[in-house]
C-alpha cells in the first residue's frame, strides 16, 4: 500500500442493530446466528398472512 492509499482515521463503521428478512429465512438457526452477533432479527414467520 502506498502512502496515498491510506484512509484517514475516523469513526469506525457501525454494526447493524436490526436485520429485516423475508419468510425464506424463518428458521431458528438463522435467528440464533443473528442474535450471536448482537443484532435483533425481524423475520416474518411462515404462518403469518402476507
Amino acid at each position: 500500500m502506498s502512502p496515498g492509499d491510506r484512509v484517514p482515521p475516523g469513526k469506525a463503521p457501525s454494526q447493524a442493530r436490526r436485520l429485516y428478512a423475508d419468510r425464506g429465512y424463518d428458521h431458528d438457526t438463522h435467528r440464533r446466528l443473528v442474535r450471536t452477533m448482537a443484532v435483533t432479527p425481524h423475520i416474518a414467520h411462515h404462518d403469518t398472512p402476507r
Side-chain angles (χ1 to χ4, degrees), residues 15-19 27-43:
Q15 181 181 355
R17 296 179 190 265
R18 288 177 225 100
L19 172 77
H27 196 275
D28 288 338
T29 306
H30 297 120
R31 292 175 188 275
R32 270 187 254 129
L33 175 65
V34 171
R35 284 187 185 115
T36 61
M37 297 184 288
V39 177
T40 305
H42 293 275
I43 304 172

mmCIF file with all atom_site columns, all heavy atoms in Angstrom, residues 15-19 27-43:
data_model
loop_
_atom_site.group_PDB
_atom_site.id
_atom_site.type_symbol
_atom_site.label_atom_id
_atom_site.label_alt_id
_atom_site.label_comp_id
_atom_site.label_asym_id
_atom_site.label_entity_id
_atom_site.label_seq_id
_atom_site.pdbx_PDB_ins_code
_atom_site.Cartn_x
_atom_site.Cartn_y
_atom_site.Cartn_z
_atom_site.occupancy
_atom_site.B_iso_or_equiv
_atom_site.pdbx_formal_charge
_atom_site.auth_seq_id
_atom_site.auth_comp_id
_atom_site.auth_asym_id
_atom_site.auth_atom_id
_atom_site.pdbx_PDB_model_num
ATOM 1   N N   . GLN A 1 15 ? -22.093 -1.230  13.466 1.00 0.00 ? 15 GLN A N   1
ATOM 2   C CA  . GLN A 1 15 ? -22.691 -2.529  13.179 1.00 0.00 ? 15 GLN A CA  1
ATOM 3   C C   . GLN A 1 15 ? -24.209 -2.368  13.165 1.00 0.00 ? 15 GLN A C   1
ATOM 4   O O   . GLN A 1 15 ? -24.768 -1.580  13.925 1.00 0.00 ? 15 GLN A O   1
ATOM 5   C CB  . GLN A 1 15 ? -22.296 -3.534  14.255 1.00 0.00 ? 15 GLN A CB  1
ATOM 6   C CG  . GLN A 1 15 ? -22.861 -4.908  14.021 1.00 0.00 ? 15 GLN A CG  1
ATOM 7   C CD  . GLN A 1 15 ? -22.456 -5.872  15.117 1.00 0.00 ? 15 GLN A CD  1
ATOM 8   O OE1 . GLN A 1 15 ? -21.684 -5.515  15.992 1.00 0.00 ? 15 GLN A OE1 1
ATOM 9   N NE2 . GLN A 1 15 ? -22.966 -7.063  15.077 1.00 0.00 ? 15 GLN A NE2 1
ATOM 10  N N   . ALA A 1 16 ? -24.859 -3.129  12.323 1.00 0.00 ? 16 ALA A N   1
ATOM 11  C CA  . ALA A 1 16 ? -26.317 -3.087  12.251 1.00 0.00 ? 16 ALA A CA  1
ATOM 12  C C   . ALA A 1 16 ? -26.915 -3.527  13.574 1.00 0.00 ? 16 ALA A C   1
ATOM 13  O O   . ALA A 1 16 ? -26.392 -4.409  14.247 1.00 0.00 ? 16 ALA A O   1
ATOM 14  C CB  . ALA A 1 16 ? -26.796 -3.988  11.129 1.00 0.00 ? 16 ALA A CB  1
ATOM 15  N N   . ARG A 1 17 ? -28.009 -2.901  13.962 1.00 0.00 ? 17 ARG A N   1
ATOM 16  C CA  . ARG A 1 17 ? -28.699 -3.274  15.199 1.00 0.00 ? 17 ARG A CA  1
ATOM 17  C C   . ARG A 1 17 ? -29.899 -4.165  14.902 1.00 0.00 ? 17 ARG A C   1
ATOM 18  O O   . ARG A 1 17 ? -30.362 -4.886  15.770 1.00 0.00 ? 17 ARG A O   1
ATOM 19  C CB  . ARG A 1 17 ? -29.165 -2.034  15.944 1.00 0.00 ? 17 ARG A CB  1
ATOM 20  C CG  . ARG A 1 17 ? -28.031 -1.170  16.408 1.00 0.00 ? 17 ARG A CG  1
ATOM 21  C CD  . ARG A 1 17 ? -28.559 0.051   17.130 1.00 0.00 ? 17 ARG A CD  1
ATOM 22  N NE  . ARG A 1 17 ? -27.509 1.003   17.380 1.00 0.00 ? 17 ARG A NE  1
ATOM 23  C CZ  . ARG A 1 17 ? -26.829 1.055   18.510 1.00 0.00 ? 17 ARG A CZ  1
ATOM 24  N NH1 . ARG A 1 17 ? -27.078 0.195   19.453 1.00 0.00 ? 17 ARG A NH1 1
ATOM 25  N NH2 . ARG A 1 17 ? -25.884 1.956   18.678 1.00 0.00 ? 17 ARG A NH2 1
ATOM 26  N N   . ARG A 1 18 ? -30.436 -4.089  13.692 1.00 0.00 ? 18 ARG A N   1
ATOM 27  C CA  . ARG A 1 18 ? -31.603 -4.865  13.307 1.00 0.00 ? 18 ARG A CA  1
ATOM 28  C C   . ARG A 1 18 ? -31.384 -5.495  11.942 1.00 0.00 ? 18 ARG A C   1
ATOM 29  O O   . ARG A 1 18 ? -30.699 -4.921  11.100 1.00 0.00 ? 18 ARG A O   1
ATOM 30  C CB  . ARG A 1 18 ? -32.832 -3.951  13.214 1.00 0.00 ? 18 ARG A CB  1
ATOM 31  C CG  . ARG A 1 18 ? -33.343 -3.494  14.524 1.00 0.00 ? 18 ARG A CG  1
ATOM 32  C CD  . ARG A 1 18 ? -34.521 -2.545  14.343 1.00 0.00 ? 18 ARG A CD  1
ATOM 33  N NE  . ARG A 1 18 ? -34.333 -1.417  15.244 1.00 0.00 ? 18 ARG A NE  1
ATOM 34  C CZ  . ARG A 1 18 ? -33.864 -0.231  14.903 1.00 0.00 ? 18 ARG A CZ  1
ATOM 35  N NH1 . ARG A 1 18 ? -33.564 0.029   13.663 1.00 0.00 ? 18 ARG A NH1 1
ATOM 36  N NH2 . ARG A 1 18 ? -33.702 0.700   15.801 1.00 0.00 ? 18 ARG A NH2 1
ATOM 37  N N   . LEU A 1 19 ? -31.995 -6.661  11.755 1.00 0.00 ? 19 LEU A N   1
ATOM 38  C CA  . LEU A 1 19 ? -31.949 -7.340  10.463 1.00 0.00 ? 19 LEU A CA  1
ATOM 39  C C   . LEU A 1 19 ? -33.372 -7.656  10.047 1.00 0.00 ? 19 LEU A C   1
ATOM 40  O O   . LEU A 1 19 ? -34.113 -8.303  10.787 1.00 0.00 ? 19 LEU A O   1
ATOM 41  C CB  . LEU A 1 19 ? -31.154 -8.640  10.553 1.00 0.00 ? 19 LEU A CB  1
ATOM 42  C CG  . LEU A 1 19 ? -31.221 -9.499  9.295  1.00 0.00 ? 19 LEU A CG  1
ATOM 43  C CD1 . LEU A 1 19 ? -30.311 -8.926  8.220  1.00 0.00 ? 19 LEU A CD1 1
ATOM 44  C CD2 . LEU A 1 19 ? -30.868 -10.920 9.597  1.00 0.00 ? 19 LEU A CD2 1
ATOM 45  N N   . HIS A 1 27 ? -36.220 -19.474 10.275 1.00 0.00 ? 27 HIS A N   1
ATOM 46  C CA  . HIS A 1 27 ? -35.727 -20.713 10.882 1.00 0.00 ? 27 HIS A CA  1
ATOM 47  C C   . HIS A 1 27 ? -34.933 -20.336 12.119 1.00 0.00 ? 27 HIS A C   1
ATOM 48  O O   . HIS A 1 27 ? -34.241 -19.315 12.142 1.00 0.00 ? 27 HIS A O   1
ATOM 49  C CB  . HIS A 1 27 ? -34.848 -21.489 9.896  1.00 0.00 ? 27 HIS A CB  1
ATOM 50  C CG  . HIS A 1 27 ? -34.628 -22.899 10.311 1.00 0.00 ? 27 HIS A CG  1
ATOM 51  N ND1 . HIS A 1 27 ? -33.634 -23.268 11.180 1.00 0.00 ? 27 HIS A ND1 1
ATOM 52  C CD2 . HIS A 1 27 ? -35.298 -24.032 9.996  1.00 0.00 ? 27 HIS A CD2 1
ATOM 53  C CE1 . HIS A 1 27 ? -33.684 -24.574 11.375 1.00 0.00 ? 27 HIS A CE1 1
ATOM 54  N NE2 . HIS A 1 27 ? -34.691 -25.058 10.675 1.00 0.00 ? 27 HIS A NE2 1
ATOM 55  N N   . ASP A 1 28 ? -35.033 -21.146 13.167 1.00 0.00 ? 28 ASP A N   1
ATOM 56  C CA  . ASP A 1 28 ? -34.340 -20.846 14.415 1.00 0.00 ? 28 ASP A CA  1
ATOM 57  C C   . ASP A 1 28 ? -32.832 -20.721 14.229 1.00 0.00 ? 28 ASP A C   1
ATOM 58  O O   . ASP A 1 28 ? -32.185 -19.935 14.914 1.00 0.00 ? 28 ASP A O   1
ATOM 59  C CB  . ASP A 1 28 ? -34.637 -21.920 15.464 1.00 0.00 ? 28 ASP A CB  1
ATOM 60  C CG  . ASP A 1 28 ? -36.055 -21.826 15.984 1.00 0.00 ? 28 ASP A CG  1
ATOM 61  O OD1 . ASP A 1 28 ? -36.653 -20.739 15.881 1.00 0.00 ? 28 ASP A OD1 1
ATOM 62  O OD2 . ASP A 1 28 ? -36.565 -22.845 16.479 1.00 0.00 ? 28 ASP A OD2 1
ATOM 63  N N   . THR A 1 29 ? -32.272 -21.484 13.301 1.00 0.00 ? 29 THR A N   1
ATOM 64  C CA  . THR A 1 29 ? -30.830 -21.417 13.053 1.00 0.00 ? 29 THR A CA  1
ATOM 65  C C   . THR A 1 29 ? -30.420 -20.010 12.630 1.00 0.00 ? 29 THR A C   1
ATOM 66  O O   . THR A 1 29 ? -29.435 -19.465 13.129 1.00 0.00 ? 29 THR A O   1
ATOM 67  C CB  . THR A 1 29 ? -30.424 -22.421 11.961 1.00 0.00 ? 29 THR A CB  1
ATOM 68  O OG1 . THR A 1 29 ? -30.884 -23.704 12.329 1.00 0.00 ? 29 THR A OG1 1
ATOM 69  C CG2 . THR A 1 29 ? -28.930 -22.436 11.763 1.00 0.00 ? 29 THR A CG2 1
ATOM 70  N N   . HIS A 1 30 ? -31.184 -19.413 11.722 1.00 0.00 ? 30 HIS A N   1
ATOM 71  C CA  . HIS A 1 30 ? -30.865 -18.062 11.253 1.00 0.00 ? 30 HIS A CA  1
ATOM 72  C C   . HIS A 1 30 ? -31.057 -17.042 12.369 1.00 0.00 ? 30 HIS A C   1
ATOM 73  O O   . HIS A 1 30 ? -30.237 -16.135 12.543 1.00 0.00 ? 30 HIS A O   1
ATOM 74  C CB  . HIS A 1 30 ? -31.741 -17.688 10.059 1.00 0.00 ? 30 HIS A CB  1
ATOM 75  C CG  . HIS A 1 30 ? -31.509 -18.562 8.872  1.00 0.00 ? 30 HIS A CG  1
ATOM 76  N ND1 . HIS A 1 30 ? -32.508 -19.325 8.330  1.00 0.00 ? 30 HIS A ND1 1
ATOM 77  C CD2 . HIS A 1 30 ? -30.398 -18.822 8.147  1.00 0.00 ? 30 HIS A CD2 1
ATOM 78  C CE1 . HIS A 1 30 ? -32.028 -20.010 7.306  1.00 0.00 ? 30 HIS A CE1 1
ATOM 79  N NE2 . HIS A 1 30 ? -30.747 -19.718 7.180  1.00 0.00 ? 30 HIS A NE2 1
ATOM 80  N N   . ARG A 1 31 ? -32.130 -17.187 13.126 1.00 0.00 ? 31 ARG A N   1
ATOM 81  C CA  . ARG A 1 31 ? -32.389 -16.248 14.219 1.00 0.00 ? 31 ARG A CA  1
ATOM 82  C C   . ARG A 1 31 ? -31.282 -16.307 15.273 1.00 0.00 ? 31 ARG A C   1
ATOM 83  O O   . ARG A 1 31 ? -30.822 -15.287 15.758 1.00 0.00 ? 31 ARG A O   1
ATOM 84  C CB  . ARG A 1 31 ? -33.742 -16.538 14.861 1.00 0.00 ? 31 ARG A CB  1
ATOM 85  C CG  . ARG A 1 31 ? -34.912 -16.242 13.943 1.00 0.00 ? 31 ARG A CG  1
ATOM 86  C CD  . ARG A 1 31 ? -36.215 -16.661 14.588 1.00 0.00 ? 31 ARG A CD  1
ATOM 87  N NE  . ARG A 1 31 ? -37.314 -16.568 13.657 1.00 0.00 ? 31 ARG A NE  1
ATOM 88  C CZ  . ARG A 1 31 ? -38.007 -15.446 13.416 1.00 0.00 ? 31 ARG A CZ  1
ATOM 89  N NH1 . ARG A 1 31 ? -37.709 -14.348 14.049 1.00 0.00 ? 31 ARG A NH1 1
ATOM 90  N NH2 . ARG A 1 31 ? -38.981 -15.444 12.540 1.00 0.00 ? 31 ARG A NH2 1
ATOM 91  N N   . ARG A 1 32 ? -30.858 -17.525 15.629 1.00 0.00 ? 32 ARG A N   1
ATOM 92  C CA  . ARG A 1 32 ? -29.798 -17.674 16.629 1.00 0.00 ? 32 ARG A CA  1
ATOM 93  C C   . ARG A 1 32 ? -28.486 -17.072 16.146 1.00 0.00 ? 32 ARG A C   1
ATOM 94  O O   . ARG A 1 32 ? -27.779 -16.406 16.903 1.00 0.00 ? 32 ARG A O   1
ATOM 95  C CB  . ARG A 1 32 ? -29.596 -19.164 16.971 1.00 0.00 ? 32 ARG A CB  1
ATOM 96  C CG  . ARG A 1 32 ? -30.467 -19.603 18.120 1.00 0.00 ? 32 ARG A CG  1
ATOM 97  C CD  . ARG A 1 32 ? -30.130 -21.015 18.533 1.00 0.00 ? 32 ARG A CD  1
ATOM 98  N NE  . ARG A 1 32 ? -31.223 -21.856 18.039 1.00 0.00 ? 32 ARG A NE  1
ATOM 99  C CZ  . ARG A 1 32 ? -31.083 -22.955 17.318 1.00 0.00 ? 32 ARG A CZ  1
ATOM 100 N NH1 . ARG A 1 32 ? -29.908 -23.416 17.032 1.00 0.00 ? 32 ARG A NH1 1
ATOM 101 N NH2 . ARG A 1 32 ? -32.134 -23.622 16.913 1.00 0.00 ? 32 ARG A NH2 1
ATOM 102 N N   . LEU A 1 33 ? -28.153 -17.302 14.882 1.00 0.00 ? 33 LEU A N   1
ATOM 103 C CA  . LEU A 1 33 ? -26.912 -16.773 14.326 1.00 0.00 ? 33 LEU A CA  1
ATOM 104 C C   . LEU A 1 33 ? -26.885 -15.248 14.392 1.00 0.00 ? 33 LEU A C   1
ATOM 105 O O   . LEU A 1 33 ? -25.896 -14.641 14.797 1.00 0.00 ? 33 LEU A O   1
ATOM 106 C CB  . LEU A 1 33 ? -26.737 -17.235 12.876 1.00 0.00 ? 33 LEU A CB  1
ATOM 107 C CG  . LEU A 1 33 ? -25.539 -16.664 12.135 1.00 0.00 ? 33 LEU A CG  1
ATOM 108 C CD1 . LEU A 1 33 ? -24.246 -17.141 12.783 1.00 0.00 ? 33 LEU A CD1 1
ATOM 109 C CD2 . LEU A 1 33 ? -25.582 -17.052 10.680 1.00 0.00 ? 33 LEU A CD2 1
ATOM 110 N N   . VAL A 1 34 ? -27.992 -14.634 14.027 1.00 0.00 ? 34 VAL A N   1
ATOM 111 C CA  . VAL A 1 34 ? -28.073 -13.172 14.045 1.00 0.00 ? 34 VAL A CA  1
ATOM 112 C C   . VAL A 1 34 ? -27.959 -12.655 15.478 1.00 0.00 ? 34 VAL A C   1
ATOM 113 O O   . VAL A 1 34 ? -27.273 -11.673 15.740 1.00 0.00 ? 34 VAL A O   1
ATOM 114 C CB  . VAL A 1 34 ? -29.393 -12.710 13.392 1.00 0.00 ? 34 VAL A CB  1
ATOM 115 C CG1 . VAL A 1 34 ? -29.614 -11.230 13.575 1.00 0.00 ? 34 VAL A CG1 1
ATOM 116 C CG2 . VAL A 1 34 ? -29.379 -13.051 11.912 1.00 0.00 ? 34 VAL A CG2 1
ATOM 117 N N   . ARG A 1 35 ? -28.605 -13.332 16.419 1.00 0.00 ? 35 ARG A N   1
ATOM 118 C CA  . ARG A 1 35 ? -28.546 -12.897 17.822 1.00 0.00 ? 35 ARG A CA  1
ATOM 119 C C   . ARG A 1 35 ? -27.143 -13.010 18.397 1.00 0.00 ? 35 ARG A C   1
ATOM 120 O O   . ARG A 1 35 ? -26.762 -12.215 19.264 1.00 0.00 ? 35 ARG A O   1
ATOM 121 C CB  . ARG A 1 35 ? -29.526 -13.698 18.664 1.00 0.00 ? 35 ARG A CB  1
ATOM 122 C CG  . ARG A 1 35 ? -30.959 -13.264 18.458 1.00 0.00 ? 35 ARG A CG  1
ATOM 123 C CD  . ARG A 1 35 ? -31.901 -13.951 19.428 1.00 0.00 ? 35 ARG A CD  1
ATOM 124 N NE  . ARG A 1 35 ? -33.273 -13.605 19.127 1.00 0.00 ? 35 ARG A NE  1
ATOM 125 C CZ  . ARG A 1 35 ? -34.185 -14.467 18.716 1.00 0.00 ? 35 ARG A CZ  1
ATOM 126 N NH1 . ARG A 1 35 ? -33.893 -15.750 18.579 1.00 0.00 ? 35 ARG A NH1 1
ATOM 127 N NH2 . ARG A 1 35 ? -35.400 -14.065 18.452 1.00 0.00 ? 35 ARG A NH2 1
ATOM 128 N N   . THR A 1 36 ? -26.363 -13.999 17.945 1.00 0.00 ? 36 THR A N   1
ATOM 129 C CA  . THR A 1 36 ? -24.988 -14.126 18.449 1.00 0.00 ? 36 THR A CA  1
ATOM 130 C C   . THR A 1 36 ? -24.140 -12.922 18.048 1.00 0.00 ? 36 THR A C   1
ATOM 131 O O   . THR A 1 36 ? -23.130 -12.643 18.683 1.00 0.00 ? 36 THR A O   1
ATOM 132 C CB  . THR A 1 36 ? -24.293 -15.407 17.948 1.00 0.00 ? 36 THR A CB  1
ATOM 133 O OG1 . THR A 1 36 ? -24.209 -15.382 16.524 1.00 0.00 ? 36 THR A OG1 1
ATOM 134 C CG2 . THR A 1 36 ? -25.010 -16.648 18.424 1.00 0.00 ? 36 THR A CG2 1
ATOM 135 N N   . MET A 1 37 ? -24.553 -12.209 17.008 1.00 0.00 ? 37 MET A N   1
ATOM 136 C CA  . MET A 1 37 ? -23.845 -11.012 16.564 1.00 0.00 ? 37 MET A CA  1
ATOM 137 C C   . MET A 1 37 ? -24.444 -9.743  17.172 1.00 0.00 ? 37 MET A C   1
ATOM 138 O O   . MET A 1 37 ? -24.186 -8.642  16.701 1.00 0.00 ? 37 MET A O   1
ATOM 139 C CB  . MET A 1 37 ? -23.872 -10.935 15.038 1.00 0.00 ? 37 MET A CB  1
ATOM 140 C CG  . MET A 1 37 ? -23.150 -12.075 14.379 1.00 0.00 ? 37 MET A CG  1
ATOM 141 S SD  . MET A 1 37 ? -23.064 -11.937 12.591 1.00 0.00 ? 37 MET A SD  1
ATOM 142 C CE  . MET A 1 37 ? -24.741 -12.281 12.126 1.00 0.00 ? 37 MET A CE  1
ATOM 143 N N   . ALA A 1 38 ? -25.285 -9.911  18.210 1.00 0.00 ? 38 ALA A N   1
ATOM 144 C CA  . ALA A 1 38 ? -25.927 -8.794  18.917 1.00 0.00 ? 38 ALA A CA  1
ATOM 145 C C   . ALA A 1 38 ? -26.803 -7.963  17.982 1.00 0.00 ? 38 ALA A C   1
ATOM 146 O O   . ALA A 1 38 ? -26.855 -6.735  18.079 1.00 0.00 ? 38 ALA A O   1
ATOM 147 C CB  . ALA A 1 38 ? -24.890 -7.925  19.614 1.00 0.00 ? 38 ALA A CB  1
ATOM 148 N N   . VAL A 1 39 ? -27.503 -8.644  17.073 1.00 0.00 ? 39 VAL A N   1
ATOM 149 C CA  . VAL A 1 39 ? -28.410 -7.993  16.140 1.00 0.00 ? 39 VAL A CA  1
ATOM 150 C C   . VAL A 1 39 ? -29.806 -8.558  16.382 1.00 0.00 ? 39 VAL A C   1
ATOM 151 O O   . VAL A 1 39 ? -29.965 -9.765  16.563 1.00 0.00 ? 39 VAL A O   1
ATOM 152 C CB  . VAL A 1 39 ? -27.983 -8.246  14.675 1.00 0.00 ? 39 VAL A CB  1
ATOM 153 C CG1 . VAL A 1 39 ? -28.970 -7.633  13.707 1.00 0.00 ? 39 VAL A CG1 1
ATOM 154 C CG2 . VAL A 1 39 ? -26.591 -7.704  14.437 1.00 0.00 ? 39 VAL A CG2 1
ATOM 155 N N   . THR A 1 40 ? -30.819 -7.697  16.399 1.00 0.00 ? 40 THR A N   1
ATOM 156 C CA  . THR A 1 40 ? -32.190 -8.140  16.608 1.00 0.00 ? 40 THR A CA  1
ATOM 157 C C   . THR A 1 40 ? -32.792 -8.577  15.275 1.00 0.00 ? 40 THR A C   1
ATOM 158 O O   . THR A 1 40 ? -32.898 -7.764  14.353 1.00 0.00 ? 40 THR A O   1
ATOM 159 C CB  . THR A 1 40 ? -33.047 -6.999  17.195 1.00 0.00 ? 40 THR A CB  1
ATOM 160 O OG1 . THR A 1 40 ? -32.413 -6.534  18.371 1.00 0.00 ? 40 THR A OG1 1
ATOM 161 C CG2 . THR A 1 40 ? -34.447 -7.469  17.499 1.00 0.00 ? 40 THR A CG2 1
ATOM 162 N N   . PRO A 1 41 ? -33.202 -9.845  15.147 1.00 0.00 ? 41 PRO A N   1
ATOM 163 C CA  . PRO A 1 41 ? -33.804 -10.288 13.896 1.00 0.00 ? 41 PRO A CA  1
ATOM 164 C C   . PRO A 1 41 ? -35.278 -9.894  13.803 1.00 0.00 ? 41 PRO A C   1
ATOM 165 O O   . PRO A 1 41 ? -36.030 -10.059 14.762 1.00 0.00 ? 41 PRO A O   1
ATOM 166 C CB  . PRO A 1 41 ? -33.647 -11.801 13.943 1.00 0.00 ? 41 PRO A CB  1
ATOM 167 C CG  . PRO A 1 41 ? -33.632 -12.144 15.383 1.00 0.00 ? 41 PRO A CG  1
ATOM 168 C CD  . PRO A 1 41 ? -33.009 -10.960 16.074 1.00 0.00 ? 41 PRO A CD  1
ATOM 169 N N   . HIS A 1 42 ? -35.681 -9.351  12.684 1.00 0.00 ? 42 HIS A N   1
ATOM 170 C CA  . HIS A 1 42 ? -37.086 -9.064  12.374 1.00 0.00 ? 42 HIS A CA  1
ATOM 171 C C   . HIS A 1 42 ? -37.396 -9.872  11.125 1.00 0.00 ? 42 HIS A C   1
ATOM 172 O O   . HIS A 1 42 ? -37.244 -9.382  10.002 1.00 0.00 ? 42 HIS A O   1
ATOM 173 C CB  . HIS A 1 42 ? -37.311 -7.570  12.137 1.00 0.00 ? 42 HIS A CB  1
ATOM 174 C CG  . HIS A 1 42 ? -37.116 -6.741  13.356 1.00 0.00 ? 42 HIS A CG  1
ATOM 175 N ND1 . HIS A 1 42 ? -38.110 -6.538  14.272 1.00 0.00 ? 42 HIS A ND1 1
ATOM 176 C CD2 . HIS A 1 42 ? -36.029 -6.094  13.834 1.00 0.00 ? 42 HIS A CD2 1
ATOM 177 C CE1 . HIS A 1 42 ? -37.657 -5.781  15.253 1.00 0.00 ? 42 HIS A CE1 1
ATOM 178 N NE2 . HIS A 1 42 ? -36.389 -5.506  15.003 1.00 0.00 ? 42 HIS A NE2 1
ATOM 179 N N   . ILE A 1 43 ? -37.800 -11.121 11.348 1.00 0.00 ? 43 ILE A N   1
ATOM 180 C CA  . ILE A 1 43 ? -38.035 -12.054 10.248 1.00 0.00 ? 43 ILE A CA  1
ATOM 181 C C   . ILE A 1 43 ? -39.488 -12.501 10.311 1.00 0.00 ? 43 ILE A C   1
ATOM 182 O O   . ILE A 1 43 ? -39.958 -12.976 11.348 1.00 0.00 ? 43 ILE A O   1
ATOM 183 C CB  . ILE A 1 43 ? -37.097 -13.280 10.350 1.00 0.00 ? 43 ILE A CB  1
ATOM 184 C CG1 . ILE A 1 43 ? -35.639 -12.818 10.400 1.00 0.00 ? 43 ILE A CG1 1
ATOM 185 C CG2 . ILE A 1 43 ? -37.327 -14.228 9.185  1.00 0.00 ? 43 ILE A CG2 1
ATOM 186 C CD1 . ILE A 1 43 ? -34.643 -13.917 10.689 1.00 0.00 ? 43 ILE A CD1 1
#
